[in-house]
Amino acid sequence: MSAAFHLAARYVLRHRIQSALLAGALGLVFALPLCLRVLIEHAQQELRARAAATPQIVGTRGSALDLMMTALYFKRENLTPLPFDALAELRRTKSAPAIPLHLRYQAQGAPIVGTELEYFTFRGLKLAAGKQLSRLGDCIVGANFAKQRGLHPGGHVFSSPEQAFDMAGVYPLKMRIAGVLAPNGTPDDEAIFVDLKTTWLIEGRSHGHDDLKQDAAVVLQQEEGNIVGNAAVRMFNEVTDANLASFHFHGDIATYPISAMIVLPNDAKAEALLAGQFARSKDKQLIRPRDEMESLLAQLVRLEGFAASALLLTATAALFVTALVFALSFRLRQREFATLEDVGVSRLSLITVKVLEIAFVGVAASVIGLLLLLLASEVAPHLLRWAL
């Protein structure tokens, strides 16, 4: 047995590249279905947890999936915005607390989420450094985004314009970083949080400029109680303590847009009443993220079944190809085996050599497959965040 082991080991080591390629191909093919299962299970856990922690979401009528992805994962879907008055109307009924969300702009690839301080309490978000939002133009950055960009409290981040050339004259807003969130392993780690008024400021519904009363050269027209400036008026793209008082909003704030509302019913009765109320609405919809997510995951599991079947067929084909490779290898080595027989090696020992060669490659393939499986378990959370 020791002689057979020695012969098999020497052959595998002598043809190490061929053996490594064969083992790698086998390990990869057989590990893929298991890696797929690991990734799917992790995705299901993460998606279910985020959805289960959000009782209800209100938005305009349209795609329930787009509304859910906007409210849970800060995706900029093509949603018709709600008027801000819809939030005030819901709060007047006192049937459930509601948290507004407004998502339209980004900063360095991260979504800018306009919301209120209640959102941080609702999601259990804690500050790792700095302080909470307290002023127009301030922002709180997620842990991962801050780490990737090297951001700290007291620094600044610029909003990104929707278009390269903004004909409306809405300039990127230089936002002061008030604080950095502690990591919590959710999409909140990748986002930038501001209050609703700051998102409207980015949108151009508010602005600050030089005091027109102090410089007659920039006055275009003056009427009773109203001064209109000309193009020479200097507009501010940063909110500071010195110019904070100059920022003002135009129009009726009740008509200003929000993307969605997270609704937190006090009990099951309030939840049922809200569902009935919005079922009759012609322009608004209420969704339960848990139900919508289960529907989405059912489709995901179905796709996983098709993918797993395809991978199993591939693995079966790979197994047959591997058998063919070994059969051809043994056939080409007939003279070698005949020589070993002539010097006294028994047929049983030669069969043992062949079996051990196959076993060595199989063990190496198993080790490679296990390493790939462990790698899939490690990268699953990062891969899910990247995909979303």
Side-chain angles (χ1 to χ4, degrees), residues 6 86 92 117 144 201 291 386:
H6 177 75
R92 281 195 294 268
L117 294 179
N144 289 350
L201 173 59
D291 296 340
W386 174 82

Side-chain angles (χ1 to χ4, degrees), residues 108 141-153 155-156 177 180:
Q108 300 181 28
V141 296
N144 289 350
F145 179 73
K147 182 178 180 181
Q148 293 167 3
R149 305 291 181 176
L151 301 176
H152 304 281
H156 294 86
I177 300 173
V180 175

Side-chain angles (χ1 to χ4, degrees), residues 95-107:
S95 54
I99 303 172
L101 296 172
H102 188 42
L103 296 107
R104 179 176 172 183
Y105 291 93
Q106 294 184 335

Side-chain angles (χ1 to χ4, degrees), residues 261-285:
M261 297 182 289
I262 296 176
V263 183
L264 311 174
N266 298 319
D267 49 37
K269 180 180 178 181
E271 185 175 354
L273 290 173
L274 282 169
Q277 173 188 337
F278 282 97
R280 296 188 298 270
S281 176
K282 296 181 179 180
D283 58 343
K284 303 182 189 69
Q285 66 173 334

Side-chain angles (χ1 to χ4, degrees), residues 1 3-5 7-9 326 330 333-334 336-338 340-341 344-360:
M1 181 67 179
F5 184 90
L7 287 173
F326 277 113
F330 295 151
R333 295 164 59 196
Q334 283 295 335
E336 174 190 337
F337 293 139
L340 290 174
E341 263 191 271
V345 178
S346 66
R347 284 176 176 259
L348 179 61
S349 296
L350 291 178
I351 293 174
T352 305
V353 170
K354 296 176 183 179
V355 171
L356 286 173
E357 288 180 10
I358 297 173
F360 288 150

